Each structure stands twice: as structure tokens, then as C-alpha cells.
Amino acid sequence: MSLESESGLPGDVLPGVLSESLHAELVAFRRDLHMHPELGNQEFRTTAAIKERLEKAGLRPRVLATGTGLVCDIGVKEGERPDVPVLALRADIDALPIPDTKADCPYRSTVPDRAHACGHDMHTTIVLGTGLVLADLHEKGLLTRPVRLIFQPAEEVLPGGALGAIEDGVLNGVGRILAVHCDPRVDAGRVGLRHGPITSACDRLEVLLDGPGGHTARPHLTTDLVTAAARVAVDVPALIARRVDTRVGLALTWGRIESGHAPNVVPQHAELSGTVRCLDLEAWRQAPDIVHAAIDEVATMHRAKSEINYVRGVPPVVNDKGSAELLRRAMAARRGRDSVESTEQSLGGEDFSWYLEHVPGAMARLGVRCPGERTVRDLHQGDFDADEHAITVGVEMFTAAVCLDRMPDAEE
């Protein structure tokens, strides 16, 4: 598949191919981030490393008001408003509080119980690399539209660092925003795309149950909180599933249940915590009331007092059709139509969704699996790793998107 057939231009007019030397530099940059992971709102070293490299390229990044994360414009004169809407590229920069369990890996995490196990080091490196390529194109007079790089902190911290970044003005003047997320189920060299929702809403739920305890020989004089907690754990998800259309995918899954200290004592306190996930935006808005009602019903049935802490997380990422199509065209222009595959909506949450509440945009699933590898290194697992060829793929897709976004949509 030639570039001309996708973009309407000869292939040599579409710039932004990554050089071998820059690829090698970006691999080294990614590995350095991988070795020094930082949790949400603590990404000071990461922020400094990104800032230093952007400034070396002659750019003027601005650290966000929170003290971590950056925003950087390319093709916009300082103090001036661009004549056309800005195309934004977003990366998340934080890591996870889990140990890196990779064996014999020279760039494994050097920080105990911290790991880039979701690929944010890849996302960051790709947007940085794209910025360096675009800065070079701008110097040569080949960048025809303004671009904004957003390096966002705290994606893994509900309700997500995107809200703080938006409050700091990163979307001012933006007409479209694009992002990628690593997908270890897809081979490097390919991306997964879909129109409409590509992730789910995700909220956090904590339930506290209380009641008079006592001796297990006289449970009738107590509130049997162990049984009450067990019924909440089992019955509430079932009730929720029957109170909404099953197609909206509203699901409560518990991750922790705790009560009691002795085998012959009925406890006075029990705790449960978990996540509420939902495929549908409108059902997500109704979810707190539905969950509250179900918990109260079950707790009351067992004479337990309930206290519910429902923490709003993120809505679904809903890909704008035009933006998803732009990414498809960009990827096809670089690597052919067969490099793009359809993908399903996942039950994972992503705070990129908050940007899409304000401007159209899309997220692509970036293949990071080594072709031919049978073992899937899943996200949020300590042995997660990525085929670093995907760095080149991501940079070249984004640079192509920048070039193609100024053109009318190519006819199929």
C-alpha cells in the first residue's frame, strides 16, 4: 500500500520517518524511565528528563501547576494564539505500585515495589520522539499546523491527572487530541482501533459495615457481620446485574473483604472494597444510585449499618469517528491497511476520557507484543515488557497524523 493511495500525496511528501539514531536514543530514554518509575504526582525525575530533552531541541516546555507533567507547543510563537486549532498528543508518565518481576532484564526497575507495568514509559517516549521529529520539521518549514505535547501525571490515580491538566489549560485552543495505549495482545507493528467507546468507566467502591458483635455461641444477640459481608459480596453484584440493561455492562467486582480477628468472636466491623465498571456512559452516570440502593437493601436485611464511599473514577473513552479515522489513515499510510485491526471495548479505565468530554479525539491500541511470542505479558503485571520497535511505529503514526490532519479526508 503506497502513501499516495492513502493520503492523496506522493510518499516522499509525507515526512516524519524516524531515523535509526533517534530510535536508538528513544530506546535508551525509555529504558531509563523503566529503571526509575515514579508514582502519580511524584514524577519529578521523569518530568525533568522530558523537559531537558525538549529544551535541547529548542522547545519551551512548561511544567504543570501540580509540579509534575509538562505541556509543550510546536509551531506556535510564544505569546501568540495559533490561527488554526491545535492538534494535541497526550502521554501519561506515572508508574504502578507493584514490583518489577522480570528476570535477567538489564533495564528492570531499580525502585522497590515500583514498575512501569502499564507501558506509560512507552507512551511518554513516543510522544517525546514525535515532538523531536516535529520540531525538526518545523525548523525546516515542513510543519504546517501547530501541535501540542501533553505529558500528563497521575493517570493511575482516580479520578485521574487529566482533570488537573485540563484545569491548567492544556486544552486551550485544541481542536483534536490523540493518544495510544500499549496492548500486549497485539503484535508490534500493528494498532487496534474502533469508533465509539474503546474503554469502560471505572469507579472505586468502599463499604463499611457495623453492628453489635459478641460470642459466636450466641449469634442471635449480635449482628453477624461476617455473614452480612458475605451476602453483600455475593448478592449486591447480582442485584446490580438485574437492575440495568445487561448490554451496558455494569459490573461490580470485589478486590478486598476483611472482618474479624478471632474464631469465636462475632466482629463489630467489616470492610469490602472493589471497582464498579461500566461500558455505557449514561448507565455510568446512574451507577452510584443503583449501587447505593443495592448495598443498603442487603445490609438492612442482615441488620448491619452500612457506610458507603463511592469514589467517582473515569467515564469511558469514546473515540470520535473522525479522529479514529485519522489514526487509521496515518497508520495505513506508514505501514499499509493490514497494519490496522479492529479491537473490542475493554473493561479497563483510562482518564484520557476526560479530555474527550471537551474536544474530539481518539486512542489507538498500540501493539507491543514481539511477533511470534506466545506468552502474553499482560498489563498491570510485574513481568510486563514491550517490543521497542513499537516506539518507531507510534512516532511515525503520530507524525503522519499531524501531516494528514491538515488535509481533507481521503476518499475510500
Side-chain angles (χ1 to χ4, degrees):
M1 175 60 60
S2 69
L3 298 182
E4 184 171 7
S5 62
E6 277 295 321
S7 65
L9 295 174
D12 57 3
V13 176
L14 193 66
V17 175
L18 198 64
S19 68
E20 290 185 9
S21 59
L22 183 53
H23 171 75
E25 179 189 348
L26 292 176
V27 167
F29 188 90
R30 180 257 169 170
R31 293 185 176 189
D32 179 71
L33 294 185
H34 201 84
M35 293 173 67
H36 302 92
E38 297 173 302
L39 299 183
N41 296 316
Q42 301 174 23
E43 312 96 330
F44 297 103
R45 183 185 185 279
T46 302
T47 297
I50 300 167
K51 183 173 183 287
E52 180 182 5
R53 186 61 184 91
L54 291 173
E55 289 177 338
K56 184 179 178 181
L59 299 173
R60 293 186 173 90
R62 173 177 68 86
V63 176
L64 299 181
T66 54
T68 62
L70 311 94
V71 60
C72 182
D73 285 346
I74 305 172
V76 180
K77 292 183 179 180
E78 191 171 9
E80 292 187 3
R81 291 178 62 89
D83 296 331
V84 297
V86 175
L87 174 62
L89 306 174
R90 175 269 200 175
D92 36 11
I93 66 174
D94 57 328
L96 286 162
I98 63 175
D100 189 335
T101 61
K102 293 189 295 296
D104 301 321
C105 178
Y107 52 87
R108 66 181 296 182
S109 173
T110 60
V111 184
D113 299 320
R114 303 287 185 268
H116 269 295
C118 204
H120 292 188
D121 54 334
M122 292 286 291
H123 308 164
T124 299
T125 302
I126 287 167
V127 172
L128 172 65
T130 303
L132 298 179
V133 172
L134 294 178
D136 182 62
L137 295 181
H138 179 59
E139 286 294 317
K140 296 175 180 177
L142 298 175
L143 184 65
T144 57
R145 64 160 307 120
V147 177
R148 179 168 298 158
L149 313 178
I150 300 172
F151 297 93
Q152 177 215 301
E155 191 276 330
E156 299 287 355
V157 182
L158 289 178
L163 290 174
I166 293 168
E167 186 177 346
D168 200 6
V170 300
L171 290 182
N172 294 345
V174 169
R176 190 196 304 273
I177 187 167
L178 305 174
V180 294
H181 197 295
C182 290
D183 191 336
R185 303 165 302 169
V186 178
D187 285 350
R190 301 174 61 82
V191 300
L193 279 170
R194 66 179 283 121
H195 301 159
I198 191 171
T199 71
S200 299
C202 179
D203 299 333
R204 188 173 71 243
L205 176 66
E206 297 172 351
V207 181
L208 307 180
L209 300 176
D210 288 287
H215 201 292
T216 56
R218 292 174 289 279
H220 59 291
L221 301 179
T222 73
T223 292
D224 186 353
L225 282 185
V226 173
T227 297
R231 296 318 310 179
V232 168
V234 173
D235 293 346
V236 170
L239 282 175
I240 292 171
R242 290 296 177 266
R243 294 183 177 179
V244 294
D245 189 326
T246 56
R247 291 171 294 184
V248 306
L250 181 61
L252 165 58
T253 304
W254 302 107
R256 185 180 71 91
I257 182 169
E258 183 176 338
S259 185
H261 300 283
N264 62 341
V265 177
V266 175
Q268 301 179 47
H269 185 72
E271 298 182 9
L272 303 92
S273 58
T275 59
V276 178
R277 299 179 186 271
C278 187
L279 299 172
D280 179 78
L281 184 59
E282 186 57 37
W284 174 69
R285 294 187 174 119
Q286 301 171 10
D289 291 339
I290 295 171
V291 172
H292 271 258
I295 292 171
D296 286 340
E297 286 181 29
V298 176
T300 299
M301 185 183 304
H302 293 275
R303 297 184 298 168
K305 295 180 180 180
S306 61
E307 179 181 339
I308 302 167
N309 182 22
Y310 194 107
V311 182
R312 267 306 199 191
V314 294
V317 172
V318 182
N319 279 352
D320 164 65
K321 182 177 180 180
S323 300
E325 179 64 10
L326 172 62
L327 287 172
R328 185 201 66 80
R329 289 171 50 218
M331 189 65 181
R334 293 297 194 197
R335 299 182 179 275
R337 292 181 185 270
D338 291 343
S339 65
V340 182
E341 61 183 60
S342 61
T343 187
E344 76 275 3
Q345 183 181 4
S346 80
L347 281 169
E350 233 289 352
D351 78 347
F352 183 67
S353 55
W354 291 121
Y355 298 105
L356 304 187
E357 296 276 295
H358 300 272
V359 297
M363 170 174 282
R365 293 208 168 104
L366 179 74
V368 296
R369 180 177 63 191
C370 294
E373 184 177 8
R374 294 184 178 181
T375 302
V376 176
R377 302 178 187 275
D378 203 5
L379 301 172
H380 288 219
Q381 298 293 323
D383 65 347
F384 174 81
D385 206 353
D387 185 332
E388 290 164 326
H389 172 60
I391 295 173
T392 292
V393 175
V395 170
E396 293 187 353
M397 179 181 70
F398 275 160
T399 56
V402 171
C403 294
L404 294 173
D405 193 33
R406 63 185 172 85
M407 307 170 191
D409 286 346
E411 293 183 1
E412 291 294 318

